[in-house]
Amino acid sequence: MTDPARPPSPDELDPIETASRDEIAALQLARLRATLERAHGNVAHYKRSFDDAGVSPADLTTLDDLARFPFTVKEDLRLNYPFELFAVPREQIIRIHASSGTTGIPTVVGYTRNDLETWAGLVARCLRAAGTRPGDMVHIAYGYGLFTGGLGFHGGAEALGCTVVPASGGFTERQVMMIRDFEPRVIAATPSYMLALADEFERVRMDPRRCSLQIGMHGAEPWTQAMRQEIEARFAMQAIDVYGCSEAIGPGVSVECIESKDGLHIWEDHFYPEIVDPETGAVLPDGETGELVITSLTKEACPIVRYRTRDLTRLLPGTARSMRRMQRVTGRNDDMLIIRGVNLFPSFIEEIVLEDRRLSPHYYLEVRRPGRLDELTVVVEAKPEAGDEATRASVARDLAGSIKSRTNITCSVTIAEPGSVERSVGKAKRVFDLRPKD
């Protein structure tokens, strides 16, 4: 088989991937001006917001001037539902994607034919950077439909010249059978679903380490280095972080390069990233942690200007590519729990859980307020070898102690029976906030 860690040769890279920072910045400035003009001239929301802020596209003379323009937030997409943020006539829209709308009105994005070609090219670039090559078989276990994951990876894999298995989400037993029989080299799936696949391999007495998979493309939810190590150990493959959001384009905004795996290179020829203070909105210098803000540079149907993703990360210099890297997303502003005045991200609990080899990586958090104070319960599965009552009681005490010592939060721990925590087939739901809505 092909060496999974072989970096691409120079002739396999797009020239922009190794361009100088000056060349990248010049291209960004030209494309950013065009994006602001397209948005201001064709989208009523942007004309109003720019005018209200007292700025116009002509005010952008340097990249730093972008900080003068207003943010776009998810509520803006909902208020302009369904098609008011389109910058082209609806008849020129070739495809529509949308969020699930489980927390309100869905957010809708559209794509022209050129947008779809750009998107496929970016996902192909991600796959290639992760070690995928033309002719490889790619098993896609992201959901298809209005969610951008399945169709986004599908288009990119076909553009790269791969054989695509559009498995979608769910039907885990059948997916294990297809992986066994078809022998794909690459899989695209959420990290939590990879663990569900590993469990199913083991349930049917197959060793996931002996399957054909060498490269995994994992995103759509925050995950930790500990979870990466768990996936790589159970499958004997490279687990690669990939990032995207539908408002920017879908998967394909940034990816780790297989030769370094040291952060996700942002394709800065198509997206301009900023990091801002989540509270004040002030732009932070590279290296400081804050909220990722993205401006599209080439989208026709739905240009997005200074979109606040709510994802927390920081920008770092390029390594394997000239373009800057974003650190693995550590959480989202809206995922953060405040328990008795302490800020807590689910990913921090995940790190503590995965340090105990008696526990599986399947867990969730419940928050209640039965009286005046919040109460946190961590529900996590024991591994089969730690399933007896005495061991589970010991594990519960140890985990509660570790969480208390490292977060100063007193919590209850429930050690569930192996296999009892619901497996995710898409984005894992880690938090159930059962507190009264004040």
Side-chain angles (χ1 to χ4, degrees), residues 105-158:
I105 296 174
T107 59
V108 176
V109 291
Y111 302 78
T112 65
R113 192 171 303 279
N114 285 338
D115 288 336
L116 290 179
E117 291 178 359
T118 297
W119 188 16
L122 287 169
V123 176
R125 193 191 285 182
C126 288
L127 286 162
R128 187 187 60 214
T132 310
R133 297 294 177 267
D136 284 342
M137 184 179 292
V138 180
H139 180 105
I140 299 175
Y142 285 110
Y144 281 65
L146 291 175
F147 174 57
T148 57
L151 285 167
F153 270 100
H154 190 122
E158 287 189 345

Side-chain angles (χ1 to χ4, degrees), residues 327-358:
Q327 191 177 48
R328 179 194 302 274
V329 171
T330 56
R332 293 175 53 84
N333 284 351
D334 44 9
D335 282 347
M336 185 180 74
L337 293 168
I338 302 177
I339 308 294
R340 302 188 186 187
V342 177
N343 296 345
L344 179 70
F345 288 100
S347 58
F348 191 66
I349 298 295
E350 179 180 295
E351 289 180 357
I352 299 173
V353 166
L354 289 173
E355 288 173 0
D356 192 325
R357 305 310 298 174
R358 299 169 295 180

Side-chain angles (χ1 to χ4, degrees), residues 242-296:
V242 62
Y243 176 84
C245 61
S246 61
E247 296 82 5
I249 203 165
V253 173
S254 65
V255 71
E256 288 182 311
C257 296
I258 197 161
E259 58 265 44
S260 56
K261 289 171 66 176
D262 59 355
L264 298 91
H265 283 80
I266 301 171
W267 302 131
E268 290 192 85
D269 51 332
H270 293 273
F271 309 101
Y272 186 78
E274 300 171 274
I275 299 294
V276 304
D277 184 301
E279 299 297 328
T280 68
V283 177
L284 301 175
D286 288 3
E288 291 196 22
T289 298
E291 180 182 343
L292 177 65
V293 172
I294 293 178
T295 300
S296 66

Side-chain angles (χ1 to χ4, degrees), residues 177-237:
M177 179 192 71
M178 288 191 293
I179 293 169
R180 178 197 66 195
D181 296 343
F182 297 176
E183 297 188 337
R185 180 169 177 262
V186 182
I187 187 168
T190 62
S192 57
Y193 191 59
M194 285 306 300
L195 296 174
L197 286 170
D199 289 344
E200 181 61 21
F201 266 99
E202 292 163 358
R203 188 189 70 81
V204 297
R205 292 180 169 80
M206 293 172 56
D207 183 358
R209 292 179 59 84
R210 297 177 65 86
C211 78
S212 60
L213 295 174
Q214 296 184 10
I215 297 168
M217 305 291 293
H218 307 310
E221 61 189 24
W223 56 307
T224 61
Q225 180 64 17
M227 184 174 283
R228 187 215 294 268
Q229 292 168 350
E230 177 92 8
I231 293 169
E232 292 186 336
R234 294 179 76 179
F235 280 96
M237 72 177 193

Side-chain angles (χ1 to χ4, degrees), residues 81-99:
Y81 174 88
F83 306 140
E84 295 302 310
L85 289 184
F86 288 1
V88 300
R90 202 276 307 154
E91 292 76 13
Q92 294 180 24
I93 300 295
I94 301 300
R95 190 192 300 167
I96 288 173
H97 282 280
S99 69

Side-chain angles (χ1 to χ4, degrees), residues 281-406:
V283 177
L284 301 175
D286 288 3
E288 291 196 22
T289 298
E291 180 182 343
L292 177 65
V293 172
I294 293 178
T295 300
S296 66
L297 300 180
T298 55
K299 285 179 68 179
E300 293 181 341
C302 292
I304 197 83
V305 178
R306 304 199 77 205
Y307 178 68
R308 296 189 65 156
T309 67
R310 298 297 181 186
D311 291 323
L312 300 175
T313 183
R314 60 183 180 137
L315 296 179
L316 302 166
T319 52
R321 302 293 187 274
S322 303
M323 300 179 193
R324 285 177 292 176
R325 295 167 294 143
M326 54 182 279
Q327 191 177 48
R328 179 194 302 274
V329 171
T330 56
R332 293 175 53 84
N333 284 351
D334 44 9
D335 282 347
M336 185 180 74
L337 293 168
I338 302 177
I339 308 294
R340 302 188 186 187
V342 177
N343 296 345
L344 179 70
F345 288 100
S347 58
F348 191 66
I349 298 295
E350 179 180 295
E351 289 180 357
I352 299 173
V353 166
L354 289 173
E355 288 173 0
D356 192 325
R357 305 310 298 174
R358 299 169 295 180
L359 294 173
S360 86
H362 304 292
Y363 74 97
Y364 60 89
L365 313 180
E366 291 182 341
V367 188
R368 293 179 170 83
R369 188 184 298 141
R372 295 180 179 274
L373 298 176
D374 296 331
E375 293 184 0
L376 172 67
T377 300
V378 178
V379 181
V380 58
E381 274 186 24
K383 288 184 176 177
E385 58 270 26
D388 65 272
E389 186 173 343
T391 301
R392 287 165 58 189
S394 174
V395 172
R397 288 193 298 271
D398 291 346
L399 181 57
S402 294
I403 293 171
K404 172 66 174 178
S405 66
R406 291 162 66 174

